[in-house]
Amino acid sequence: MTLVVRGGTVVNHDHARRADVLIDGDTIVAVGSALNVPIGAEIVDAGGCYVMPGGIDPHTHLEFNFMGSVSADDFEWGTKAALTGGTTMVVDFCVPDPGQSMLAAYQDWRRKSEKAASDYGFHMAVTSWSKQVFDEMEIVVKTYGINTFKHFMAYKGALMVNDDELYNSFARCAHLGAMPLVHAENGDVVALMQEALLARGVTGPEGHAYSRPPEVEGEATNRAIMIADMTGVPLYVVHTSCREAHEAIARARASGKRVFGEPLIQHLLLDEGEYANKSWNHAAQRVMSPPFRDKVHQASLWAGLQSGSLQVVATDHCAFTSEQKRLGFEDFRKIPNGTGGLEDRLPVLWTAGVNTGRLTKEEFVAVTSANIARILNIYPRKGRIATGSDADLVVWDPSASKTVSVKNQLSRIDYNVFEGFACTGAPAATLSRGKIAFARGDLRAEKGDGHYVERPAFSPVHVANSTWKHATEPQAVRRVDVTP
Ligand code: URP
Ligand code: ZN
Ligand code: ZN
């Protein structure tokens, strides 16, 4: 199948120009003007539109069994929602139960993701430490094409890992050419604060926010950065939500450490006032970790995206219905943590970021697609419109208007945290591997259309990140041997 996207302005993270895009099968074969288009090629009219690399959301939890519930959007509906909103690839978290084999968890995730309508990949979570985990991490990298390992520093008694486990796992990542990711909140302190709040009779959703102040996140972010530096590995901090965490990342980068930060579209736009809403349902629907913050933190996150100290905007799409949230009606600790955003990330960010002048259109491409493709080692196959890249792209109509509403969303949940947000700028069409997945309101992608994307290990040079590299002894001498 040959297709040409004609008459638009191609926008990459570093450049924009008027050009047509010629696609053969699932690959871009030419970008330019006056292309030699074969007779019979399908034409996608991009007049008046930007043609950008499809969004990549590196943080989703689809059909995730978490806190006693399974998130309502599975790989089919999560990825269909993504494509409708201009996102052509998601990276989901494969999370073994503590003690469960990573290999078994991987098989489970491959089975669940067969339904995906868009491309997808996985991060693997390290939820305990043992010789088995040490050994399986190598298989995960070398056989499964997963180059990132997630660590929860919160959720004590469930997924949380301690500092010794972080150190061991980070060092193993360094050895394998993989990168650790952290959910950075001090889980011990959160657990103590939760108990104290309950003892004072605070049971509602506001207790969730009170028990997870910015300091809890700032401390854990600093700690993870230092442990990563001691093991000589880069670090990616997921859902960076506050000034304290952002400043830790910015400081680390300024001192030569390779640390990345990922704000969520929710934290950029929504604030802690949501938890004061008189409706329990409204507040509980917005319970996620880290919680929404005071507006002062939003300004810091925007500044980070503008200055480059934060690199990626994600969603952490982990959608629970109102009924599922009721599990925590009497105890905020039991409200399943998570919100949605896959369908809305791009239009909301364009409206609040590009239309306000905070981000250029090239920066928009950087933070929604190109940066994460580079960080995850799949660039320029993903994240760029260029000859040889996968034909994942979004034809973006900057004048299209759309008001976010539960009434017209694909997500299976019964609310939307961005309800009523008026967007100007939305996808006219989304192409996934050269096929029109969405066009002018019509979803064409089908269950199972997506492919699993392997991500190769990083080169040792990329991983040799520690500031110790400036010390006289070779880094390898200083590194502790973590073989269990
Ligand atoms: O509240 C959240 N973020 N739920 C999903 C799990 C996680 O911590 O990322
Ligand atoms: Zn998290
Ligand atoms: Zn998450």
Side-chain angles (χ1 to χ4, degrees):
M1 173 83 187
T2 308
L3 192 146
V4 63
V5 181
R6 181 176 273 170
T9 299
V10 169
V11 185
N12 278 310
H13 74 93
D14 53 355
H15 189 57
R17 64 172 170 137
R18 286 294 297 269
D20 299 337
V21 181
L22 184 63
I23 295 164
D24 187 22
D26 56 11
T27 309
I28 297 171
V29 292
V31 181
S33 49
L35 296 178
N36 198 359
V37 178
I39 295 162
E42 188 171 352
I43 311 283
V44 175
D45 178 14
C49 291
Y50 297 121
V51 182
M52 306 190 286
I56 300 171
D57 190 337
H59 192 154
T60 67
H61 302 277
L62 302 175
E63 201 179 327
F64 180 34
N65 190 346
F66 183 53
M67 296 184 71
S69 282
V70 177
S71 59
D73 286 327
D74 63 7
F75 276 86
E76 178 184 356
W77 289 101
T79 53
K80 284 182 173 174
L83 289 164
T84 304
T87 290
T88 51
M89 179 175 172
V90 302
V91 190
D92 203 80
F93 288 87
C94 177
V95 185
D97 294 331
Q100 188 197 7
S101 157
M102 285 179 172
L103 313 189
Y106 171 81
Q107 294 307 338
D108 197 23
W109 252 256
R110 285 304 296 259
R111 181 190 52 73
K112 289 194 282 191
S113 57
E114 278 168 11
K115 291 181 278 190
S118 78
D119 279 8
Y120 58 95
F122 303 144
H123 312 284
M124 179 62 70
V126 174
T127 53
S128 60
W129 189 252
S130 64
K131 168 102 171 69
Q132 184 183 1
V133 172
F134 178 91
D135 290 340
E136 289 184 353
M137 284 174 79
E138 182 164 17
I139 299 169
V140 167
V141 174
K142 294 190 177 157
T143 311
Y144 299 161
I146 296 176
N147 61 19
T148 39
F149 290 91
K150 167 82 173 285
H151 306 77
F152 293 92
M153 299 170 78
Y155 305 127
K156 187 173 179 170
L159 302 175
M160 179 171 136
V161 283
N162 295 317
D163 291 354
D164 53 347
E165 296 165 309
L166 285 180
Y167 184 92
N168 282 332
S169 178
F170 285 16
R172 185 68 172 140
C173 286
H175 179 80
L176 293 171
M179 180 172 63
L181 277 51
V182 284
H183 169 137
E185 287 184 302
N186 186 321
D188 287 321
V189 173
V190 169
L192 288 173
M193 287 195 175
Q194 287 176 329
E195 277 171 30
L197 284 157
L198 283 161
R200 282 165 42 197
V202 181
T203 58
E206 71 282 8
H208 176 77
Y210 294 152
S211 65
R212 311 180 98 97
E215 290 78 2
V216 152
E217 186 182 343
E219 184 281 327
T221 306
N222 268 299
R223 181 157 39 99
I225 287 169
M226 295 306 165
I227 295 174
D229 191 43
M230 285 183 262
T231 57
V233 75
L235 180 72
Y236 183 96
V237 184
V238 305
H239 49 45
T240 302
S241 77
C242 64
R243 187 173 61 192
E244 286 78 354
H246 169 213
E247 286 177 357
I249 294 166
R251 207 164 42 241
R253 292 173 66 85
S255 70
K257 299 180 180 71
R258 190 169 290 119
V259 179
F260 307 104
E262 170 207 86
L264 304 181
I265 187 67
Q266 296 91 323
H267 288 122
L268 287 165
L269 271 298
L270 304 170
D271 68 70
E272 64 186 5
E274 302 282 355
Y275 302 117
N277 194 291
K278 284 201 175 64
S279 154
W280 187 93
N281 272 348
H282 180 102
Q285 286 159 358
R286 281 132 185 100
V287 163
M288 65 170 300
S289 296
F292 300 157
R293 305 291 192 193
D294 183 279
K295 281 197 189 307
V296 71
H297 298 283
Q298 292 175 357
S300 174
L301 300 180
W302 281 110
L305 292 172
Q306 291 171 289
S307 65
S309 52
L310 299 173
Q311 296 73 36
V312 177
V313 176
T315 63
D316 194 2
H317 189 98
C318 185
F320 293 105
T321 63
S322 303
E323 197 186 327
Q324 291 175 309
K325 295 272 183 181
R326 299 293 285 185
L327 274 175
F329 188 61
E330 287 172 350
D331 179 347
F332 66 82
R333 293 176 304 179
K334 298 189 180 142
I335 301 171
N337 285 199
T339 62
L342 261 172
E343 194 167 337
D344 311 311
R345 179 179 66 133
L346 266 55
V348 170
L349 185 71
W350 183 274
T351 305
V354 180
N355 291 347
T356 57
R358 284 169 166 142
L359 301 174
T360 65
K361 57 190 185 310
E362 291 82 3
E363 286 165 348
F364 176 85
V365 168
V367 301
T368 56
S369 184
N371 287 355
I372 192 63
R374 289 192 289 181
I375 291 167
L376 296 181
N377 211 14
I378 48 174
Y379 184 86
R381 176 181 166 195
K382 303 286 188 191
R384 187 160 188 86
I385 296 189
T387 301
S389 296
D390 283 358
D392 292 345
L393 49 91
V394 56
V395 179
W396 191 262
D397 181 350
S399 61
S401 56
K402 166 187 173 170
T403 299
V404 176
S405 175
V406 63
K407 293 196 191 99
N408 49 33
Q409 72 183 10
L410 282 183
S411 167
R412 308 277 90 181
I413 58 171
D414 55 321
Y415 59 93
N416 189 311
V417 295
F418 295 111
E419 184 71 33
F421 189 91
C423 301
T424 304
T430 309
L431 274 67
S432 173
R433 284 187 188 252
K435 278 172 69 178
I436 300 175
F438 170 83
R440 303 267 170 218
D442 180 25
L443 176 72
R444 302 194 198 168
E446 286 179 14
K447 177 179 175 177
D449 278 354
H451 291 66
Y452 176 66
V453 177
E454 295 194 3
R455 295 180 287 114
F458 302 98
S459 70
V461 172
H462 181 89
V463 173
N465 166 63
S466 171
T467 48
W468 289 352
K469 65 189 171 222
H470 303 299
T472 45
E473 294 134 287
Q475 189 173 304
V477 175
R478 289 179 168 221
R479 232 184 240 160
V480 175
D481 181 3
V482 295
T483 315

